[in-house]
Amino acid sequence: MTRVSASETPAVILPTVAREVEEFVAAGGWDQPPQLFSLVATSDLLDQQPELRSQLDPESSPLTPIAQDALEGDLGDALAGIEWPQTVTGCALAQEIVVLPPEAETELSHGELDDEAARRFAAEHPSRREARLVAAVLRDGSVSCVLRLRGTVEMPEEFVEHPELAPNLTDALLATLRP
């Protein structure tokens, strides 16, 4: 695990937190529903729950992800109904997705497919790759995304990190933090 000093700004430590969330979810294996996490300042959490002092260190991990209850129904609708209290510094969402090669993306975007047909097209495409995406955001607008492409016999597991991997998702997560 990468150690980050509490003196670093939250935006600098956000990629580390996104990787920690992905590692936590990965420990449960594949085929999991979307999982939402609040991100809170570890020092604030310890003020509220001092019994956690033996488990948490605000110096090495200034933000702590806290798993939330399962999201029900449509993900977009579920996120649209969330409003975090000010004590929440940010949030992260882990979800499994299907990644298509660029030529399939082009074919999909030029087609006249409804949502269900597009999902079926992606799920049945011979070059699809299953992946787990973690998008994490902070109130200051900082964004981090981590993608783990599931390995196969032919292709090894891969990791991709870039803040713009899922702009629609990060926008939706940021909207949950606005007053």
Side-chain angles (χ1 to χ4, degrees):
M1 178 185 300
T2 305
R3 297 292 178 190
V4 179
S5 166
S7 63
E8 292 186 71
T9 63
V12 172
I13 63 168
L14 189 58
T16 300
V17 173
R19 287 189 299 274
E20 287 176 5
V21 166
E22 198 288 322
E23 290 169 6
F24 173 82
V25 174
W30 289 92
D31 303 319
Q32 296 185 53
Q35 296 178 47
L36 185 65
F37 297 80
S38 62
L39 304 178
V40 298
T42 303
S43 57
D44 292 346
L45 180 59
L46 291 174
D47 288 346
Q48 297 295 314
Q49 297 183 11
E51 67 276 10
L52 297 175
R53 278 201 197 283
S54 64
Q55 300 171 34
L56 299 173
D57 177 12
E59 286 298 315
S60 65
S61 188
L63 287 176
T64 299
I66 301 173
Q68 302 298 299
D69 292 336
L71 296 172
E72 300 292 326
D74 178 76
L75 182 59
D77 291 342
L79 290 176
I82 294 173
E83 293 181 25
W84 298 105
Q86 286 299 314
T87 55
V88 173
T89 303
C91 60
L93 179 82
Q95 69 172 338
E96 293 182 12
I97 62 172
V98 173
V99 177
L100 297 173
E103 62 275 6
E105 290 281 351
T106 302
E107 185 179 335
L108 186 60
S109 66
H110 286 88
E112 296 294 324
L113 302 176
D114 62 22
D115 287 346
E116 185 55 38
R119 276 192 214 69
R120 205 169 35 257
F121 173 86
E124 295 170 357
H125 196 281
S127 297
R128 76 186 178 284
R129 296 251 342 243
E130 294 176 3
R132 179 180 301 108
L133 172 70
V134 173
V137 301
L138 297 177
R139 285 191 186 276
D140 69 4
S142 301
V143 171
S144 181
C145 295
V146 176
L147 181 75
R148 179 192 298 245
L149 291 155
R150 189 174 190 172
T152 65
V153 173
E154 302 86 24
M155 304 210 42
E157 192 169 83
E158 297 175 58
F159 288 89
V160 178
E161 285 188 55
H162 195 281
E164 295 178 20
L165 284 175
N168 292 340
L169 179 56
T170 55
D171 286 349
L173 291 172
L174 285 167
T176 68
L177 296 167
R178 293 190 182 106

